Amino acid sequence: MSVFTAATDQSICTPLPVLGKDVTVPLVTGGEVTYAALDYAASAPALQRVWDDVAAYAPYYGSVHRGAGYLSQLSTDLFESSRVTVAEFLGCRADDQVIFTRSTTDSLNLLAAALPADCQVFVFETEHHASLLPWRDARVTYLNAPRTPAQAVATLERALADRDSSPSSQLRSSRGGPIGPALVCVTGASNVTGELWPVKELAAAAHAHGARIVLDAAQLAPHHPVDISELDVDWVAFSGHKLYAPFGSGVLAGRSDWLRDAEPYLAGGGASRKVARRADGGVDVEWHSTAARHEAGSPNVIGVYSIASACKALTEAGFDSLVAREQQLVSEVRAGLAEVPEVKVLSLFGDDAPRVGVISFVVEGWNSSHFAAALSAEYGIGVRDGLFCAHPLVRTLLGSDPQEVGECGAPEAEPGERSLNAIRVSFGAGTPDEHIERFVRAVKELVSEGAQWKYRTEDGRCVPDRGTAQH
């Protein structure tokens, strides 16, 4: 059973320059410290290269596909050349479409709106809500959390085989028609555990049963090369703000037929080729059959260009060296956490599973929101606490009852109370070594010595009780 593997190139690059690397923040204990941004899985900082490219283009900003003037023509060329860059970054096939959206969530909702009639969707309960929830208008089969990559493939194969042998499928076949369409949705890298999923094997299983597959690459594309052709997936979705391009754009790339046959995701200018009044007073519309069909409205050319810039920057830096350095950071974090008996790292596939720079954990005797607040207030470290918009997965990993109270964000719990949430540290191409070293040191000190300050819950967040030191 193969999954994505870390690069074998042993050359380790230096961190890529990102905005905010010199920002200082105040500590509740006094003084200031350079902010350690360790919440890349939520939104990564902008690459300096991306910012510089956007700043250089900004004076030439103009409308896309809508003007005869020089700046409009330049902006249109930039927008369409960015589409080509993204297609190359993803290894798209010749007839694939690249559609620009607002985010991964938007991309998957677009695909959900384009599903053929009677499409059945298969999705693991381990998905982020962006890929777990958009299918509510389809027939959805939710698959239980697997505990190994091999089990993930076996679970999918079994579900698809059951579909093939179901009475409704047999009825359709007996009438001479094909079994209805099916779609599998799977993450490439978990936003909770960072673990890599066996995408290529899942794609093979889906295709063997006549199903298609969409890859949620929100957490994979910033950390690892993604090649649609090599993985043999039908679609890929990802967000710019996780790919060091936080300007409000995302991507859905892949096969064109379902998208071409669907009603436009949004009705409006840009999606239509021709609009004419009818004699009866109505309106006839001829929609585009290209990607423009689902890109109504004035395109976000700056957001799109920023994604293309990030794709170029990561490609030029070389994923082999980027992956090698990130794996070194992953090893340092995991080794440091392993030295603290009170820390439990969350995992589906076990310690040896390959993963990107996303690690979630809980600390015995600590409310996770309290721990995250102390990391921020006393060490200048930004992490995430909560259920990470992956409630079923975190509940499974914490061994909780499905009905136990918990929410995406800090629950109403006192600093010392147990709560249904966890702490997530995440990092990537712009993370300095010092941030990782400070994080590991801070975890050890907080566990062994406790927080230096008192904390309280305010508006659902655990915050320092200003002016009240713990010791």
Side-chain angles (χ1 to χ4, degrees):
M1 177 63 54
S2 66
V3 291
F4 294 108
T5 56
T8 56
D9 185 346
Q10 295 304 306
S11 60
I12 307 295
C13 66
T14 58
L16 297 185
V18 295
L19 293 184
K21 60 185 176 62
D22 298 321
V23 168
T24 60
V25 294
L27 300 180
V28 71
T29 51
E32 293 186 340
V33 67
T34 303
Y35 183 65
L38 296 179
D39 194 15
Y40 276 46
S43 285
L47 284 173
Q48 186 67 51
R49 156 75 176 274
V50 170
W51 184 261
D52 291 344
D53 283 350
V54 167
Y57 160 68
Y60 301 92
Y61 171 79
S63 61
V64 173
H65 299 150
R66 288 166 172 78
Y70 179 81
L71 297 191
S72 291
Q73 293 297 307
L74 186 150
S75 296
T76 297
D77 289 345
L78 188 69
F79 186 82
E80 292 303 333
S81 66
S82 294
R83 202 188 303 275
V84 174
T85 297
V86 172
E88 293 172 347
F89 180 76
L90 294 173
C92 287
R93 298 157 294 233
D95 57 349
D96 283 342
Q97 285 187 349
V98 173
I99 298 174
F100 291 115
T101 65
R102 293 174 295 180
S103 60
T104 307
T105 301
D106 196 36
S107 296
L108 293 171
N109 274 272
L110 188 165
L111 183 60
L115 295 181
D118 200 32
C119 186
Q120 185 172 2
V121 177
F122 295 83
V123 57
F124 286 93
E125 67 175 353
T126 47
E127 293 292 311
H128 183 279
H129 293 173
S131 47
L132 185 73
L133 302 180
W135 322 106
R136 54 190 177 274
D137 292 333
R139 294 184 297 124
V140 185
T141 298
Y142 295 103
L143 306 176
N144 292 333
R147 287 299 185 169
T148 66
Q151 189 180 85
V153 177
T155 298
L156 178 61
E157 287 180 332
R158 186 164 52 250
L160 291 171
D162 289 346
R163 166 184 176 266
D164 294 344
S165 61
S166 68
S168 60
S169 297
Q170 292 174 352
L171 179 60
R172 283 193 293 269
S173 296
S174 67
R175 290 176 175 173
I179 296 175
L183 177 70
V184 176
C185 181
V186 67
T187 189
S190 170
N191 78 302
V192 177
T193 68
E195 291 165 319
L196 300 174
W197 278 62
V199 175
K200 191 170 185 177
E201 288 81 355
L202 291 167
H207 293 154
H209 291 273
R212 297 190 181 189
I213 185 168
V214 56
L215 170 63
D216 175 353
Q219 299 296 340
L220 184 63
H223 303 273
H224 204 286
V226 175
D227 190 304
I228 288 180
S229 300
E230 195 274 330
L231 294 173
D232 196 24
V233 295
D234 298 282
W235 293 278
V236 167
F238 70 88
S239 294
H241 72 98
K242 298 185 192 299
L243 196 79
Y244 311 100
F247 291 92
S249 282
V251 169
L252 176 67
R255 302 199 181 279
S256 61
D257 54 349
W258 286 7
L259 299 168
R260 185 179 58 245
D261 294 341
E263 287 295 306
Y265 183 48
L266 297 173
S272 57
R273 291 187 69 249
K274 186 194 309 182
V275 179
R277 288 292 301 273
R278 296 195 305 263
D280 63 4
V283 174
D284 285 326
V285 183
E286 181 183 338
W287 302 105
H288 280 293
S289 60
T290 62
R293 185 182 189 88
H294 299 292
E295 293 177 344
S298 296
N300 178 5
V301 61
I302 286 180
V304 165
Y305 181 45
S306 71
I307 289 180
S309 174
C311 290
K312 288 181 179 179
L314 294 174
T315 300
E316 292 168 6
F319 264 113
D320 280 353
S321 57
L322 292 174
V323 171
R325 180 174 185 274
E326 184 174 306
Q327 290 307 302
Q328 178 178 298
L329 299 182
V330 169
S331 296
E332 291 175 7
V333 171
R334 287 176 57 80
L337 295 179
E339 294 175 358
V340 186
E342 293 84 354
V343 169
K344 176 188 175 183
V345 174
L346 305 183
S347 175
L348 268 178
F349 298 155
D351 290 342
D352 296 332
R355 65 197 72 220
V356 299
V358 179
I359 298 169
S360 296
F361 62 98
V362 292
V363 183
E364 182 181 346
W366 283 79
N367 173 298
S368 293
S369 297
H370 180 203
F371 200 91
L375 285 173
S376 175
E378 300 178 25
Y379 294 91
I381 298 171
V383 297
R384 171 87 180 270
D385 65 279
L387 299 177
F388 318 128
C389 293
H391 295 193
L393 172 56
V394 178
R395 291 177 187 278
T396 294
L397 296 173
L398 294 179
S400 72
D401 185 287
Q403 301 305 315
E404 188 172 352
V405 176
E407 59 191 62
C408 203
E412 292 290 343
E414 294 302 317
E417 287 183 29
R418 179 192 181 277
S419 58
L420 182 59
N421 60 349
I423 306 149
R424 184 181 70 191
V425 57
S426 54
F427 40 89
T431 304
D433 293 350
E434 188 276 329
H435 291 183
I436 297 299
E437 295 163 2
R438 193 196 318 173
F439 168 75
V440 172
R441 182 178 71 253
V443 170
K444 293 178 178 179
E445 289 180 0
L446 285 173
V447 172
S448 63
E449 302 172 16
Q452 299 181 55
W453 217 259
K454 288 185 178 180
Y455 294 79
R456 58 188 173 83
T457 299
E458 180 180 286
D459 297 328
R461 301 301 306 168
C462 192
V463 298
D465 192 350
R466 296 291 175 178
T468 309
Q470 186 77 7
H471 303 300

